[in-house]
């Protein structure tokens, strides 16, 4: 039998968690292997995980393409730009998306090479015997890797709807929803969370009649209520039909249409007929084929690998990060944990503050927030003051013709420390970085209010919301 390939660190998974951990550990002088099983359409390696292949990157490519189309169709004329004929070439749009994905895959392979990370393409599996949590076999080959430190970054998979198979032709997960070859006339989406809203928006902009069916009675319950209300108003005004508090009874794959039978929020029986159905009801941690429990890793009742605040598992020298552990299922959260674990392994002091992880939904208007919502503070009895500022009163937003939405800043009533910032509006995904920085440095709302912001910029709305905490916004 071939001798083990010895490393200081073996990383299982090359999504944003895994590849970032591998690169950071290698930068710190450790000998690192990273094993990932994702295949491109030619069977070759496609590192980058869900994020790069069927998540963040391709969804943002399609959101950008479809937003361009929508702007050309509805908004360019406001600027005096006349377009005589407009059409969407879906094949070309999907090919562009595939190129963007491939560039990212290749970028990661390049970074591995540059940092001397040894990459193995295949499924990694712990040697099943309890004493061997530090030996990982690469399936389909004779390769055996061993290391005193192992980082599990195996990510997540789409949660299926019980009893409904995803064929990725008519009933689609996010994977199939990113590759529909022609604009469907009627698109049903089960789940009005981040993925459902983003992908529903893509196909609505291209011409589909989109209906989202959401089980929860509230729209985006994790967001600040005021922000969620504004987002609901804007998204439904654009034509997304969003039904809340529904209960799916049956899905019938008829020859001519998919029929979704459900009870609406009044418990009345309803039917939705559609040509394609996206199922976006959340994601499940992925530990399949890993032999995780056989080597002593503990899974919680929802299947996440149990870790402490530093991402240590129950097995010494084995760490777990990203979507496969507790906390928000976000690429940048996985990356933060990756850096913290690599640095801790190298003897430094890694730390992740989950309180300052920002959330973003890339619809138009975008929705982004960090920290606590007003309803959370109310529920916990925390004294706070809030300031808001609408983009309608922001000069740059007016110049852009993009004035829907607002910024809200929530600060501690006792010491003015910023507790949360919530944005619905143009470029919210970029604006939120200032708020994250402010919270990371424990800034007060007055700190944000006293910093000079360039004019005219959207970020002035953040400053005005911070000024609003003391009731002294200048431009409203
Ligand atoms: C449609 C969609 C859009 C999204 N958009 C965003 C966004 O805009 N911003 C954001 O922050 N997040 C977004 N997310 C979430 C984001 O994709 C995840 O949070 C992120 O990918 C998690 O990273 P990870 O490294 O933990 O796991 P993953 O990205 O899932 O990577 C895990 C990797 O490990 C591999 N693997 C699993 N088991 C093994 C094994 N045994 N051996 C070898 N390899 C294995 C997998 O094949 C995969 O390549 C989106 C998700 C979806 C579905």
């Amino acid at each position: 039998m071939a001798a083990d390939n010895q490393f200081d660190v073996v990383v299982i998974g090359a999504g944003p968690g895994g590849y970032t951990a591998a690169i950071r550990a290698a930068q710190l002088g450790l000998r690192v292997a990273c094993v990932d099983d994702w295949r491109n359409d030619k069977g070759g390696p496609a590192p980058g995980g869900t994020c790069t292949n069927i998540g963040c990157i391709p969804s943002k490519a399609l959101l950008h393409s479809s937003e361009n189309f929508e702007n050309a169709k509805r908004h360019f004329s406001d600027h005096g730009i006349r377009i005589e004929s407009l059409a969407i070439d879906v094949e070309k749009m999907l090919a562009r998306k595939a190129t963007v994905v491939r560039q990212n895959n290749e970028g990661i392979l390049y970074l591995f090479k540059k940092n001397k990370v040894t990459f193995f393409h295949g499924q990694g599996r712990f040697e099943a015997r309890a004493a061997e949590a530090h030996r990982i076999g690469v399936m389909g080959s004779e390769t055996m890797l061993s290391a005193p430190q192992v980082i599990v970054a195996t990510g997540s998979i789409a949660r299926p709807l019980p009893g409904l198979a995803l064929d990725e032709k008519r009933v689609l997960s996010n994977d199939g929803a990113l590759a529909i070859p022609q604009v469907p006339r009627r698109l049903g989406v089960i789940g009005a969370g981040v993925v459902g809203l983003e992908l529903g928006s893509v196909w609505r902009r291209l011409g589909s009649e989109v209906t989202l069916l959401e089980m929860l009675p509230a729209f985006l319950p994790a967001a600040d209520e005021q922000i969620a209300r504004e987002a609901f108003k804007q998204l439904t005004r654009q034509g997304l039909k969003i039904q809340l508090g529904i209960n799916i009874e049956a899905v019938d794959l008829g020859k001519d249409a998919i029929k979704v039978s459900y009870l609406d929020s009044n418990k009345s029986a309803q039917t939705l007929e559609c040509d394609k159905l996206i199922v976006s009801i959340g994601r499940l941690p992925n530990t399949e084929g890993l032999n995780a429990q056989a080597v002593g890793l503990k899974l919680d009742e929802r299947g996440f690998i149990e870790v402490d605040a530093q991402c240590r598992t129950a097995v010494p020298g084995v760490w777990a990060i990203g979507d496969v552990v507790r906390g928000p299922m976000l690429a940048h959260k996985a990356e933060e944990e990756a850096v913290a674990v690599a640095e801790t392994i190298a003897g430094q002091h890694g730390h992740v503050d989950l309180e300052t992880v920002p959330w973003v939904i890339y619809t138009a208007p975008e929705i982004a927030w960090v920290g606590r919502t007003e309803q959370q503070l109310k529920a916990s009895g925390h004294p706070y003051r809030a300031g808001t500022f609408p983009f309608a009163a922001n000069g740059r937003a007016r110049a852009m013709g993009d004035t829907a939405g607002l910024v809200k800043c929530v600060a501690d009533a006792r010491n003015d420390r910023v507790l949360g910032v919530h944005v619905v509006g143009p470029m919210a995904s970029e604006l939120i970085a200032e708020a994250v920085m402010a919270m990371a440095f424990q800034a007060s709302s007055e700190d944000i209010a006293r910093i000079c912001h360039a004019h005219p910029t959207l970020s002035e709305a953040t400053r005005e919301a911070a000024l609003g905490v003391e009731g002294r916004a200048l431009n409203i």
Side-chain angles (χ1 to χ4, degrees):
M1 194 177 157
D4 288 6
N5 295 273
Q6 297 280 349
F7 293 91
D8 297 320
V9 182
V10 171
V11 184
I12 309 175
Y19 85 74
T20 307
I23 290 170
R24 184 68 190 123
Q27 281 178 344
L28 291 164
L30 299 165
R31 282 173 305 142
V32 182
C34 183
V35 44
D36 186 89
D37 59 2
W38 206 291
R39 290 170 191 279
N40 60 25
D41 50 9
K42 296 189 178 63
T50 303
C51 169
T52 300
N53 292 294
I54 54 164
C56 324
I57 300 298
S59 61
K60 265 80 261 177
L62 293 188
L63 279 159
H64 198 73
S65 298
S66 59
E67 195 170 1
N68 283 341
F69 182 66
E70 169 126 310
N71 283 337
K73 197 159 71 178
R74 294 186 206 278
H75 305 304
F76 276 12
S77 58
D78 299 344
H79 298 263
I81 302 169
R82 254 204 315 271
I83 296 179
E84 300 302 342
S85 97
L86 184 69
I88 181 75
D89 180 343
V90 176
E91 195 180 338
K92 185 151 187 189
M93 185 183 75
L94 296 179
R96 175 186 174 276
K97 175 210 67 174
T99 304
V100 174
V101 168
R102 199 181 57 248
Q103 285 166 342
N104 281 274
N105 296 142
E106 285 166 3
I108 295 166
L109 288 171
Y110 161 78
L111 290 172
F112 279 166
K113 214 169 178 179
K114 177 181 163 202
N115 289 285
K116 302 193 172 45
V117 172
T118 310
F119 179 68
F120 293 89
H121 189 211
Q123 191 188 39
R125 181 180 292 192
F126 285 109
E127 273 289 272
R129 283 157 286 167
E132 303 203 338
H134 297 270
R135 293 185 76 216
I136 287 106
V138 181
M139 296 300 102
S141 74
E142 294 286 297
T143 311
M144 186 63 72
L145 314 174
S146 51
Q149 307 291 338
V150 176
I151 303 174
V152 180
T154 47
S156 61
I157 50 170
R159 179 198 293 275
L161 190 68
L164 180 65
L166 297 165
D167 61 14
E168 301 298 2
K169 289 192 168 59
R170 297 175 78 201
V171 184
L172 316 164
S173 71
N174 54 290
D175 193 358
L178 289 161
I180 307 177
Q182 279 155 2
V183 180
R185 191 167 68 80
R186 299 163 302 177
L187 176 66
V189 182
I190 301 183
V194 180
V195 173
L197 288 172
E198 290 187 0
L199 296 177
S201 291
V202 165
W203 295 105
R204 183 206 56 77
R205 292 169 186 168
L206 301 178
S208 290
E209 200 178 285
V210 179
T211 307
L212 294 106
L213 301 176
E214 169 60 54
M215 191 184 75
L216 295 173
F219 182 62
L220 294 178
D224 186 272
E225 275 170 11
Q226 188 179 3
I227 298 295
R229 261 197 315 276
E230 177 67 18
F232 188 83
K233 190 172 91 189
Q234 297 301 335
L235 295 172
T236 49
R237 189 176 279 170
Q238 291 164 8
L240 280 182
K241 294 190 188 118
I242 306 173
Q243 297 212 21
L244 302 170
I246 64 96
N247 216 324
I248 303 282
E249 302 254 274
V251 179
D252 173 25
L253 300 184
K255 196 163 128 323
D256 299 322
I258 303 169
K259 285 194 183 137
V260 184
S261 308
Y262 64 97
L263 295 180
D264 67 16
S265 56
N266 299 318
K267 304 275 173 270
S268 312
Q270 305 286 352
T271 309
L272 171 72
E273 291 202 0
C274 55
D275 306 304
K276 305 268 181 194
L277 181 66
I278 299 176
V279 179
S280 52
I281 54 170
R283 299 187 58 82
L284 301 171
N286 176 24
T287 50
E288 212 184 299
L290 194 60
N291 263 341
Q293 281 163 299
V295 295
L297 297 189
K298 293 204 164 59
L299 305 188
D300 69 16
E301 68 284 355
R302 293 183 303 154
F304 291 95
I305 297 179
E306 282 187 6
V307 289
D308 68 8
Q310 276 72 43
C311 295
R312 288 185 186 85
T313 68
V315 180
V318 180
W319 313 70
I321 59 173
D323 278 10
V324 79
V325 304
R326 84 286 174 267
M329 285 179 150
L330 293 167
H332 43 278
K333 175 265 196 181
E335 291 171 17
E336 288 300 299
E337 289 177 338
V339 170
V341 165
E343 293 183 351
T344 306
I345 288 173
Q348 300 184 355
H349 299 282
H351 172 67
V352 178
D353 179 7
L354 293 178
E355 281 282 310
T356 53
V357 172
W359 293 79
V360 181
I361 306 174
Y362 296 80
T363 44
E366 292 186 343
I367 306 158
W369 71 91
V370 59
R372 315 266 184 89
T373 61
E374 219 178 321
Q375 65 266 22
Q376 281 171 333
L377 293 169
K378 257 187 209 143
S380 63
H382 196 122
Y384 70 91
R385 291 183 303 172
T388 57
F389 191 80
F391 284 105
N394 173 273
R396 183 67 184 279
R398 285 201 201 114
M400 291 163 66
D402 206 350
T403 52
L406 69 144
V407 182
K408 178 184 214 169
C409 178
V410 199
D412 195 311
R414 297 163 304 193
N415 55 20
D416 195 34
R417 185 171 159 180
V418 177
L419 299 173
V421 175
H422 308 271
V423 188
V424 53
M427 305 304 281
S429 57
E430 300 293 338
L431 294 176
I432 204 66
E434 178 184 11
V436 175
M437 172 100 85
M439 285 189 62
F441 282 100
Q442 305 189 359
S444 62
S445 77
E446 188 182 357
D447 289 328
I448 299 179
R450 286 196 180 276
I451 290 169
C452 180
H453 288 66
H455 177 74
T457 57
L458 298 171
S459 68
E460 287 174 292
T462 308
R463 178 180 185 225
E464 293 276 1
L467 279 165
V469 170
E470 291 206 332
R472 57 189 193 96
L474 292 163
N475 285 287
I476 197 157

